[in-house]
Amino acid sequence: MNAQTNQVNTLPAFADLTPDLVLGAVESCGWFCDGRILALNSYENRVYQVALEDGPPVIAKFYRPGRWTDAAILEEHAFTMELAAQEIPVVTALSSAAGQSLHHYQGYRFALFPRQSGRAPELQDAATLEWMGRFLGRIHAVGALSSYQQRPEINADTFGAQPLDWLARSGMIPPELQAVYLSVAQQALDAVQQCYARAGSVPVLRLHGDCHMGNVLWLDQGPQAGPHFVDFDDSRMGPAIQDLWMLLSGERAEMQRQMTDILVGYEDFFDFDPRQLYLIEALRTLRLIHYSAWLGQRWDDAAFQAAFPWFNTQRYWQDRILELREQIALMDEPPLWTF
């Protein structure tokens, strides 16, 4: 116990990640900086655009200490490189002259990436959704070829039971709401298990894991036109629908149309098992519980307290209780279409 505590206490802090340290880390890999640095919007890690003396800028991502092992990070890098080798538009980590993509500098672990331009995709456009579906089908076709050994699976335990257990012990929930929240969350997890039971045995594969529109950059013109998938930091094993449901929005009829458009492209490259439609609201529910624990586990990071001042307030937890009750009702509804 004490040894583990001492190890945690010796991990470097993001607060000590100064501009000089960032520049020194980049130059330690053989790139020469011109002194310009721009902090980019990121909470889980720290990400900077660093200008170079000769050539376009690079993106330096400093990994949150203690989150992933080196082996898990390298496993993610290997997956994106595997995708890029198949000419799938993903942004991969740059390798040094020694062939290394993960670097260490003054206790920090970091990787360098090329800067990728682009805008958010227009997910209300049928052609865009079909285009996205084609590339997600290709990503999953490669992802199904082998399994992660170092990265956990997205399931009701890792994204539901474990974070809920942490929240129950954390003291983050206001005492007057704790019993209600935990009771409703457990009811939601029971409903999640029922969704999984209805879906049956669904295969899992290597995923992007966090495929929302913020992690897709769209180019309108040129040979690289179309979607470019970035930030595989949350890549895990899981059902294919995990990378599809976050592209859906609106009322039921609208989501039906969107899913149809996605699958028109997706099934050109990878088969979709429609039983996974039972998991859409279940996975959304797991994400909600996991997100609250994610915020709580990082609450000692000043950046989180500044960016999420509403967390740990009574109103926040009242809203989460209502949200989970709505999810319980949604999980009891039929899937987007019958089969």
Side-chain angles (χ1 to χ4, degrees), residues 137-167:
R138 293 181 63 191
I139 289 172
H140 289 176
V142 174
L145 295 177
S146 64
S147 300
Y148 279 140
Q149 302 302 312
Q150 304 296 327
R151 289 176 165 255
E153 180 180 322
I154 295 174
N155 57 36
D157 183 44
T158 60
F159 263 51
Q162 291 181 25
L164 184 60
D165 179 66
W166 185 90
L167 286 169

PDB file of all heavy atoms in Angstrom, residues 137-167:
ATOM      1  N   GLY A 137     -16.016   0.773 -41.552  1.00  0.00           N
ATOM      2  CA  GLY A 137     -16.011  -0.636 -41.924  1.00  0.00           C
ATOM      3  C   GLY A 137     -14.607  -1.142 -42.190  1.00  0.00           C
ATOM      4  O   GLY A 137     -14.240  -2.261 -41.792  1.00  0.00           O
ATOM      5  N   ARG A 138     -13.793  -0.331 -42.840  1.00  0.00           N
ATOM      6  CA  ARG A 138     -12.404  -0.722 -43.107  1.00  0.00           C
ATOM      7  C   ARG A 138     -11.596  -0.782 -41.812  1.00  0.00           C
ATOM      8  O   ARG A 138     -10.768  -1.686 -41.623  1.00  0.00           O
ATOM      9  CB  ARG A 138     -11.775   0.266 -44.091  1.00  0.00           C
ATOM     10  CG  ARG A 138     -12.372   0.214 -45.493  1.00  0.00           C
ATOM     11  CD  ARG A 138     -11.690   1.199 -46.419  1.00  0.00           C
ATOM     12  NE  ARG A 138     -10.269   0.865 -46.585  1.00  0.00           N
ATOM     13  CZ  ARG A 138      -9.389   1.675 -47.174  1.00  0.00           C
ATOM     14  NH1 ARG A 138      -9.774   2.863 -47.631  1.00  0.00           N
ATOM     15  NH2 ARG A 138      -8.128   1.302 -47.291  1.00  0.00           N
ATOM     16  N   ILE A 139     -11.807   0.188 -40.914  1.00  0.00           N
ATOM     17  CA  ILE A 139     -11.114   0.163 -39.623  1.00  0.00           C
ATOM     18  C   ILE A 139     -11.456  -1.118 -38.870  1.00  0.00           C
ATOM     19  O   ILE A 139     -10.580  -1.804 -38.314  1.00  0.00           O
ATOM     20  CB  ILE A 139     -11.476   1.404 -38.789  1.00  0.00           C
ATOM     21  CG1 ILE A 139     -10.825   2.660 -39.388  1.00  0.00           C
ATOM     22  CG2 ILE A 139     -11.042   1.238 -37.331  1.00  0.00           C
ATOM     23  CD1 ILE A 139     -11.273   3.960 -38.749  1.00  0.00           C
ATOM     24  N   HIS A 140     -12.733  -1.484 -38.863  1.00  0.00           N
ATOM     25  CA  HIS A 140     -13.148  -2.667 -38.109  1.00  0.00           C
ATOM     26  C   HIS A 140     -12.682  -3.953 -38.773  1.00  0.00           C
ATOM     27  O   HIS A 140     -12.407  -4.946 -38.079  1.00  0.00           O
ATOM     28  CB  HIS A 140     -14.663  -2.657 -37.932  1.00  0.00           C
ATOM     29  CG  HIS A 140     -15.141  -1.608 -36.991  1.00  0.00           C
ATOM     30  ND1 HIS A 140     -16.473  -1.358 -36.747  1.00  0.00           N
ATOM     31  CD2 HIS A 140     -14.451  -0.711 -36.226  1.00  0.00           C
ATOM     32  CE1 HIS A 140     -16.584  -0.379 -35.869  1.00  0.00           C
ATOM     33  NE2 HIS A 140     -15.373   0.028 -35.537  1.00  0.00           N
ATOM     34  N   ALA A 141     -12.592  -3.945 -40.098  1.00  0.00           N
ATOM     35  CA  ALA A 141     -12.075  -5.135 -40.780  1.00  0.00           C
ATOM     36  C   ALA A 141     -10.635  -5.416 -40.356  1.00  0.00           C
ATOM     37  O   ALA A 141     -10.249  -6.577 -40.146  1.00  0.00           O
ATOM     38  CB  ALA A 141     -12.158  -4.956 -42.292  1.00  0.00           C
ATOM     39  N   VAL A 142      -9.840  -4.354 -40.211  1.00  0.00           N
ATOM     40  CA  VAL A 142      -8.465  -4.517 -39.713  1.00  0.00           C
ATOM     41  C   VAL A 142      -8.487  -4.820 -38.213  1.00  0.00           C
ATOM     42  O   VAL A 142      -7.736  -5.669 -37.729  1.00  0.00           O
ATOM     43  CB  VAL A 142      -7.633  -3.253 -40.005  1.00  0.00           C
ATOM     44  CG1 VAL A 142      -6.250  -3.358 -39.372  1.00  0.00           C
ATOM     45  CG2 VAL A 142      -7.518  -3.026 -41.512  1.00  0.00           C
ATOM     46  N   GLY A 143      -9.356  -4.118 -37.477  1.00  0.00           N
ATOM     47  CA  GLY A 143      -9.421  -4.327 -36.030  1.00  0.00           C
ATOM     48  C   GLY A 143      -9.780  -5.740 -35.638  1.00  0.00           C
ATOM     49  O   GLY A 143      -9.389  -6.217 -34.561  1.00  0.00           O
ATOM     50  N   ALA A 144     -10.515  -6.432 -36.509  1.00  0.00           N
ATOM     51  CA  ALA A 144     -10.940  -7.801 -36.197  1.00  0.00           C
ATOM     52  C   ALA A 144      -9.847  -8.834 -36.458  1.00  0.00           C
ATOM     53  O   ALA A 144     -10.011 -10.007 -36.093  1.00  0.00           O
ATOM     54  CB  ALA A 144     -12.177  -8.151 -37.023  1.00  0.00           C
ATOM     55  N   LEU A 145      -8.741  -8.421 -37.052  1.00  0.00           N
ATOM     56  CA  LEU A 145      -7.698  -9.377 -37.410  1.00  0.00           C
ATOM     57  C   LEU A 145      -6.925  -9.897 -36.206  1.00  0.00           C
ATOM     58  O   LEU A 145      -6.364 -10.983 -36.239  1.00  0.00           O
ATOM     59  CB  LEU A 145      -6.734  -8.752 -38.426  1.00  0.00           C
ATOM     60  CG  LEU A 145      -7.332  -8.403 -39.795  1.00  0.00           C
ATOM     61  CD1 LEU A 145      -6.289  -7.720 -40.669  1.00  0.00           C
ATOM     62  CD2 LEU A 145      -7.875  -9.658 -40.481  1.00  0.00           C
ATOM     63  N   SER A 146      -6.838  -9.103 -35.156  1.00  0.00           N
ATOM     64  CA  SER A 146      -6.171  -9.538 -33.925  1.00  0.00           C
ATOM     65  C   SER A 146      -6.786  -8.786 -32.755  1.00  0.00           C
ATOM     66  O   SER A 146      -7.642  -7.919 -32.943  1.00  0.00           O
ATOM     67  CB  SER A 146      -4.656  -9.307 -34.000  1.00  0.00           C
ATOM     68  OG  SER A 146      -4.368  -7.927 -34.104  1.00  0.00           O
ATOM     69  N   SER A 147      -6.342  -9.111 -31.558  1.00  0.00           N
ATOM     70  CA  SER A 147      -6.927  -8.530 -30.347  1.00  0.00           C
ATOM     71  C   SER A 147      -5.887  -7.750 -29.561  1.00  0.00           C
ATOM     72  O   SER A 147      -4.694  -8.062 -29.602  1.00  0.00           O
ATOM     73  CB  SER A 147      -7.505  -9.634 -29.453  1.00  0.00           C
ATOM     74  OG  SER A 147      -8.512 -10.357 -30.124  1.00  0.00           O
ATOM     75  N   TYR A 148      -6.354  -6.755 -28.837  1.00  0.00           N
ATOM     76  CA  TYR A 148      -5.492  -6.076 -27.871  1.00  0.00           C
ATOM     77  C   TYR A 148      -5.178  -7.033 -26.720  1.00  0.00           C
ATOM     78  O   TYR A 148      -6.054  -7.769 -26.242  1.00  0.00           O
ATOM     79  CB  TYR A 148      -6.183  -4.845 -27.299  1.00  0.00           C
ATOM     80  CG  TYR A 148      -6.129  -3.616 -28.172  1.00  0.00           C
ATOM     81  CD1 TYR A 148      -7.243  -2.776 -28.281  1.00  0.00           C
ATOM     82  CD2 TYR A 148      -4.978  -3.263 -28.857  1.00  0.00           C
ATOM     83  CE1 TYR A 148      -7.198  -1.632 -29.053  1.00  0.00           C
ATOM     84  CE2 TYR A 148      -4.916  -2.120 -29.631  1.00  0.00           C
ATOM     85  CZ  TYR A 148      -6.035  -1.305 -29.739  1.00  0.00           C
ATOM     86  OH  TYR A 148      -5.992  -0.179 -30.502  1.00  0.00           O
ATOM     87  N   GLN A 149      -3.939  -6.974 -26.251  1.00  0.00           N
ATOM     88  CA  GLN A 149      -3.524  -7.741 -25.087  1.00  0.00           C
ATOM     89  C   GLN A 149      -3.344  -6.857 -23.857  1.00  0.00           C
ATOM     90  O   GLN A 149      -3.410  -7.333 -22.724  1.00  0.00           O
ATOM     91  CB  GLN A 149      -2.221  -8.488 -25.387  1.00  0.00           C
ATOM     92  CG  GLN A 149      -2.312  -9.435 -26.575  1.00  0.00           C
ATOM     93  CD  GLN A 149      -3.383 -10.488 -26.406  1.00  0.00           C
ATOM     94  OE1 GLN A 149      -3.466 -11.126 -25.358  1.00  0.00           O
ATOM     95  NE2 GLN A 149      -4.201 -10.676 -27.438  1.00  0.00           N
ATOM     96  N   GLN A 150      -3.109  -5.558 -24.071  1.00  0.00           N
ATOM     97  CA  GLN A 150      -2.805  -4.637 -22.979  1.00  0.00           C
ATOM     98  C   GLN A 150      -3.960  -3.693 -22.647  1.00  0.00           C
ATOM     99  O   GLN A 150      -3.959  -3.063 -21.587  1.00  0.00           O
ATOM    100  CB  GLN A 150      -1.566  -3.799 -23.336  1.00  0.00           C
ATOM    101  CG  GLN A 150      -0.339  -4.607 -23.688  1.00  0.00           C
ATOM    102  CD  GLN A 150       0.159  -5.430 -22.520  1.00  0.00           C
ATOM    103  OE1 GLN A 150       0.050  -5.026 -21.364  1.00  0.00           O
ATOM    104  NE2 GLN A 150       0.708  -6.602 -22.816  1.00  0.00           N
ATOM    105  N   ARG A 151      -4.911  -3.571 -23.544  1.00  0.00           N
ATOM    106  CA  ARG A 151      -6.005  -2.611 -23.362  1.00  0.00           C
ATOM    107  C   ARG A 151      -7.297  -3.346 -23.022  1.00  0.00           C
ATOM    108  O   ARG A 151      -7.611  -4.359 -23.635  1.00  0.00           O
ATOM    109  CB  ARG A 151      -6.182  -1.762 -24.628  1.00  0.00           C
ATOM    110  CG  ARG A 151      -5.038  -0.801 -24.812  1.00  0.00           C
ATOM    111  CD  ARG A 151      -5.115  -0.004 -26.098  1.00  0.00           C
ATOM    112  NE  ARG A 151      -4.188   1.109 -25.986  1.00  0.00           N
ATOM    113  CZ  ARG A 151      -4.539   2.362 -25.767  1.00  0.00           C
ATOM    114  NH1 ARG A 151      -5.804   2.685 -25.687  1.00  0.00           N
ATOM    115  NH2 ARG A 151      -3.626   3.301 -25.653  1.00  0.00           N
ATOM    116  N   PRO A 152      -8.056  -2.841 -22.049  1.00  0.00           N
ATOM    117  CA  PRO A 152      -9.262  -3.557 -21.607  1.00  0.00           C
ATOM    118  C   PRO A 152     -10.409  -3.429 -22.601  1.00  0.00           C
ATOM    119  O   PRO A 152     -10.369  -2.634 -23.545  1.00  0.00           O
ATOM    120  CB  PRO A 152      -9.607  -2.856 -20.287  1.00  0.00           C
ATOM    121  CG  PRO A 152      -9.060  -1.473 -20.451  1.00  0.00           C
ATOM    122  CD  PRO A 152      -7.807  -1.622 -21.277  1.00  0.00           C
ATOM    123  N   GLU A 153     -11.433  -4.197 -22.349  1.00  0.00           N
ATOM    124  CA  GLU A 153     -12.628  -4.218 -23.182  1.00  0.00           C
ATOM    125  C   GLU A 153     -13.660  -3.222 -22.652  1.00  0.00           C
ATOM    126  O   GLU A 153     -13.746  -2.979 -21.445  1.00  0.00           O
ATOM    127  CB  GLU A 153     -13.215  -5.629 -23.179  1.00  0.00           C
ATOM    128  CG  GLU A 153     -14.467  -5.808 -24.011  1.00  0.00           C
ATOM    129  CD  GLU A 153     -14.993  -7.240 -23.944  1.00  0.00           C
ATOM    130  OE1 GLU A 153     -14.162  -8.163 -23.923  1.00  0.00           O
ATOM    131  OE2 GLU A 153     -16.229  -7.412 -23.904  1.00  0.00           O
ATOM    132  N   ILE A 154     -14.427  -2.615 -23.546  1.00  0.00           N
ATOM    133  CA  ILE A 154     -15.580  -1.808 -23.154  1.00  0.00           C
ATOM    134  C   ILE A 154     -16.737  -2.766 -22.902  1.00  0.00           C
ATOM    135  O   ILE A 154     -17.217  -3.439 -23.816  1.00  0.00           O
ATOM    136  CB  ILE A 154     -15.956  -0.805 -24.254  1.00  0.00           C
ATOM    137  CG1 ILE A 154     -14.839   0.220 -24.456  1.00  0.00           C
ATOM    138  CG2 ILE A 154     -17.268  -0.102 -23.915  1.00  0.00           C
ATOM    139  CD1 ILE A 154     -15.074   1.155 -25.629  1.00  0.00           C
ATOM    140  N   ASN A 155     -17.177  -2.845 -21.648  1.00  0.00           N
ATOM    141  CA  ASN A 155     -18.304  -3.714 -21.322  1.00  0.00           C
ATOM    142  C   ASN A 155     -18.992  -3.197 -20.057  1.00  0.00           C
ATOM    143  O   ASN A 155     -18.612  -2.156 -19.509  1.00  0.00           O
ATOM    144  CB  ASN A 155     -17.856  -5.168 -21.166  1.00  0.00           C
ATOM    145  CG  ASN A 155     -16.763  -5.349 -20.123  1.00  0.00           C
ATOM    146  OD1 ASN A 155     -16.751  -4.669 -19.089  1.00  0.00           O
ATOM    147  ND2 ASN A 155     -15.832  -6.260 -20.382  1.00  0.00           N
ATOM    148  N   ALA A 156     -19.988  -3.929 -19.596  1.00  0.00           N
ATOM    149  CA  ALA A 156     -20.782  -3.476 -18.459  1.00  0.00           C
ATOM    150  C   ALA A 156     -19.980  -3.442 -17.163  1.00  0.00           C
ATOM    151  O   ALA A 156     -20.360  -2.725 -16.225  1.00  0.00           O
ATOM    152  CB  ALA A 156     -22.004  -4.383 -18.290  1.00  0.00           C
ATOM    153  N   ASP A 157     -18.886  -4.169 -17.106  1.00  0.00           N
ATOM    154  CA  ASP A 157     -18.051  -4.150 -15.907  1.00  0.00           C
ATOM    155  C   ASP A 157     -17.088  -2.962 -15.932  1.00  0.00           C
ATOM    156  O   ASP A 157     -17.073  -2.137 -15.021  1.00  0.00           O
ATOM    157  CB  ASP A 157     -17.285  -5.463 -15.788  1.00  0.00           C
ATOM    158  CG  ASP A 157     -16.452  -5.525 -14.513  1.00  0.00           C
ATOM    159  OD1 ASP A 157     -16.976  -5.134 -13.450  1.00  0.00           O
ATOM    160  OD2 ASP A 157     -15.286  -5.958 -14.577  1.00  0.00           O
ATOM    161  N   THR A 158     -16.294  -2.856 -17.004  1.00  0.00           N
ATOM    162  CA  THR A 158     -15.262  -1.817 -17.049  1.00  0.00           C
ATOM    163  C   THR A 158     -15.837  -0.408 -17.176  1.00  0.00           C
ATOM    164  O   THR A 158     -15.250   0.555 -16.684  1.00  0.00           O
ATOM    165  CB  THR A 158     -14.301  -2.059 -18.218  1.00  0.00           C
ATOM    166  OG1 THR A 158     -15.050  -2.042 -19.448  1.00  0.00           O
ATOM    167  CG2 THR A 158     -13.589  -3.391 -18.080  1.00  0.00           C
ATOM    168  N   PHE A 159     -16.972  -0.269 -17.849  1.00  0.00           N
ATOM    169  CA  PHE A 159     -17.570   1.046 -18.042  1.00  0.00           C
ATOM    170  C   PHE A 159     -18.807   1.266 -17.176  1.00  0.00           C
ATOM    171  O   PHE A 159     -19.411   2.333 -17.237  1.00  0.00           O
ATOM    172  CB  PHE A 159     -17.937   1.248 -19.520  1.00  0.00           C
ATOM    173  CG  PHE A 159     -16.901   2.000 -20.295  1.00  0.00           C
ATOM    174  CD1 PHE A 159     -15.571   1.621 -20.264  1.00  0.00           C
ATOM    175  CD2 PHE A 159     -17.246   3.096 -21.069  1.00  0.00           C
ATOM    176  CE1 PHE A 159     -14.607   2.315 -20.964  1.00  0.00           C
ATOM    177  CE2 PHE A 159     -16.287   3.804 -21.774  1.00  0.00           C
ATOM    178  CZ  PHE A 159     -14.969   3.408 -21.723  1.00  0.00           C
ATOM    179  N   GLY A 160     -19.188   0.259 -16.368  1.00  0.00           N
ATOM    180  CA  GLY A 160     -20.374   0.397 -15.542  1.00  0.00           C
ATOM    181  C   GLY A 160     -20.121   0.068 -14.088  1.00  0.00           C
ATOM    182  O   GLY A 160     -20.069   0.953 -13.236  1.00  0.00           O
ATOM    183  N   ALA A 161     -19.953  -1.208 -13.783  1.00  0.00           N
ATOM    184  CA  ALA A 161     -19.828  -1.645 -12.390  1.00  0.00           C
ATOM    185  C   ALA A 161     -18.601  -1.058 -11.708  1.00  0.00           C
ATOM    186  O   ALA A 161     -18.675  -0.585 -10.566  1.00  0.00           O
ATOM    187  CB  ALA A 161     -19.801  -3.172 -12.323  1.00  0.00           C
ATOM    188  N   GLN A 162     -17.451  -1.068 -12.392  1.00  0.00           N
ATOM    189  CA  GLN A 162     -16.233  -0.546 -11.774  1.00  0.00           C
ATOM    190  C   GLN A 162     -16.303   0.959 -11.501  1.00  0.00           C
ATOM    191  O   GLN A 162     -16.008   1.398 -10.386  1.00  0.00           O
ATOM    192  CB  GLN A 162     -15.017  -0.891 -12.634  1.00  0.00           C
ATOM    193  CG  GLN A 162     -14.673  -2.370 -12.653  1.00  0.00           C
ATOM    194  CD  GLN A 162     -13.445  -2.670 -13.498  1.00  0.00           C
ATOM    195  OE1 GLN A 162     -12.585  -1.819 -13.700  1.00  0.00           O
ATOM    196  NE2 GLN A 162     -13.365  -3.893 -14.013  1.00  0.00           N
ATOM    197  N   PRO A 163     -16.676   1.800 -12.494  1.00  0.00           N
ATOM    198  CA  PRO A 163     -16.792   3.225 -12.170  1.00  0.00           C
ATOM    199  C   PRO A 163     -17.865   3.517 -11.135  1.00  0.00           C
ATOM    200  O   PRO A 163     -17.706   4.435 -10.316  1.00  0.00           O
ATOM    201  CB  PRO A 163     -17.104   3.877 -13.526  1.00  0.00           C
ATOM    202  CG  PRO A 163     -17.457   2.784 -14.447  1.00  0.00           C
ATOM    203  CD  PRO A 163     -16.814   1.548 -13.938  1.00  0.00           C
ATOM    204  N   LEU A 164     -18.972   2.758 -11.137  1.00  0.00           N
ATOM    205  CA  LEU A 164     -20.010   2.999 -10.132  1.00  0.00           C
ATOM    206  C   LEU A 164     -19.496   2.658  -8.741  1.00  0.00           C
ATOM    207  O   LEU A 164     -19.778   3.377  -7.769  1.00  0.00           O
ATOM    208  CB  LEU A 164     -21.253   2.172 -10.461  1.00  0.00           C
ATOM    209  CG  LEU A 164     -22.447   2.408  -9.527  1.00  0.00           C
ATOM    210  CD1 LEU A 164     -22.889   3.868  -9.558  1.00  0.00           C
ATOM    211  CD2 LEU A 164     -23.607   1.487  -9.897  1.00  0.00           C
ATOM    212  N   ASP A 165     -18.722   1.582  -8.623  1.00  0.00           N
ATOM    213  CA  ASP A 165     -18.132   1.232  -7.332  1.00  0.00           C
ATOM    214  C   ASP A 165     -17.193   2.341  -6.857  1.00  0.00           C
ATOM    215  O   ASP A 165     -17.182   2.697  -5.674  1.00  0.00           O
ATOM    216  CB  ASP A 165     -17.378  -0.094  -7.455  1.00  0.00           C
ATOM    217  CG  ASP A 165     -16.710  -0.498  -6.147  1.00  0.00           C
ATOM    218  OD1 ASP A 165     -17.426  -0.779  -5.174  1.00  0.00           O
ATOM    219  OD2 ASP A 165     -15.460  -0.519  -6.099  1.00  0.00           O
ATOM    220  N   TRP A 166     -16.414   2.909  -7.794  1.00  0.00           N
ATOM    221  CA  TRP A 166     -15.528   4.008  -7.413  1.00  0.00           C
ATOM    222  C   TRP A 166     -16.331   5.215  -6.926  1.00  0.00           C
ATOM    223  O   TRP A 166     -15.994   5.829  -5.906  1.00  0.00           O
ATOM    224  CB  TRP A 166     -14.644   4.413  -8.596  1.00  0.00           C
ATOM    225  CG  TRP A 166     -13.627   5.449  -8.214  1.00  0.00           C
ATOM    226  CD1 TRP A 166     -12.357   5.237  -7.744  1.00  0.00           C
ATOM    227  CD2 TRP A 166     -13.814   6.872  -8.216  1.00  0.00           C
ATOM    228  NE1 TRP A 166     -11.753   6.436  -7.461  1.00  0.00           N
ATOM    229  CE2 TRP A 166     -12.616   7.460  -7.743  1.00  0.00           C
ATOM    230  CE3 TRP A 166     -14.870   7.699  -8.581  1.00  0.00           C
ATOM    231  CZ2 TRP A 166     -12.455   8.831  -7.625  1.00  0.00           C
ATOM    232  CZ3 TRP A 166     -14.717   9.082  -8.459  1.00  0.00           C
ATOM    233  CH2 TRP A 166     -13.508   9.628  -7.983  1.00  0.00           C
ATOM    234  N   LEU A 167     -17.394   5.552  -7.644  1.00  0.00           N
ATOM    235  CA  LEU A 167     -18.217   6.692  -7.241  1.00  0.00           C
ATOM    236  C   LEU A 167     -18.831   6.468  -5.860  1.00  0.00           C
ATOM    237  O   LEU A 167     -18.918   7.405  -5.052  1.00  0.00           O
ATOM    238  CB  LEU A 167     -19.327   6.924  -8.272  1.00  0.00           C
ATOM    239  CG  LEU A 167     -18.891   7.536  -9.600  1.00  0.00           C
ATOM    240  CD1 LEU A 167     -20.020   7.467 -10.620  1.00  0.00           C
ATOM    241  CD2 LEU A 167     -18.435   8.983  -9.420  1.00  0.00           C
TER     242      LEU A 167
END
